[in-house]
Amino acid sequence: MAEFFIENGGLIFKGLAIAIAVLFAGIGSAKGVGMAGEAAAGVIIEEPEKFGKALVLQLLPGTQGLYGFVIGIVLVVMVGDLNLAQGLYAVAAALPVGIVGLLSAIAQAKVSVAGINILAKNEEQQAKGIVLAVMVELYAILGFAISFLMINNVLM
């Protein structure tokens, strides 16, 4: 058993790293886009002309899923065979984009819902809602950047 783990542990942990990056960030984005979409639907049913502006706020929580997907693709395509220690490192490298993506997408969705409320009540101030939602994006970008740098500096 130990020999199997030593021989295949790198591959197993690389797969786990890919799953962490893609699944956690994707789950956060799916939840966030859904939350913002529900709020947008409430506005659009009364004022269909606000669809485009509401769509911008709905899309913002979706970027975290893209960041996780990119890290997953980098691990699949650009990182070759790994030994056990490198596999464990790959898991550590996937954690920032996965966990920060999960939590920031949900937080960004809450801000986007508030921005959609601004759109519903005072359309002229809607850009402020977008700016507030974009501020949350900064932390998702930081998580993505750390994951990418960790992979790039050690595994590629």
Side-chain angles (χ1 to χ4, degrees), residues 5-76:
F5 196 66
I6 291 170
E7 284 182 24
N8 301 299
L11 178 65
I12 293 168
F13 282 119
K14 181 179 173 183
L16 180 62
I18 294 165
I20 287 170
V22 174
L23 287 177
F24 286 156
I27 289 169
S29 283
K31 175 126 178 101
V33 170
M35 291 168 60
E38 289 175 10
V43 172
I44 294 167
I45 196 72
E46 297 291 326
E47 301 173 87
E49 68 278 1
K50 293 182 177 177
F51 172 76
K53 292 179 178 178
L55 184 62
V56 171
L57 286 161
Q58 184 192 11
L59 290 176
L60 284 172
T63 56
Q64 286 85 348
L66 293 175
Y67 301 150
F69 183 73
V70 168
I71 292 298
I73 292 293
V74 167
L75 286 168
V76 169

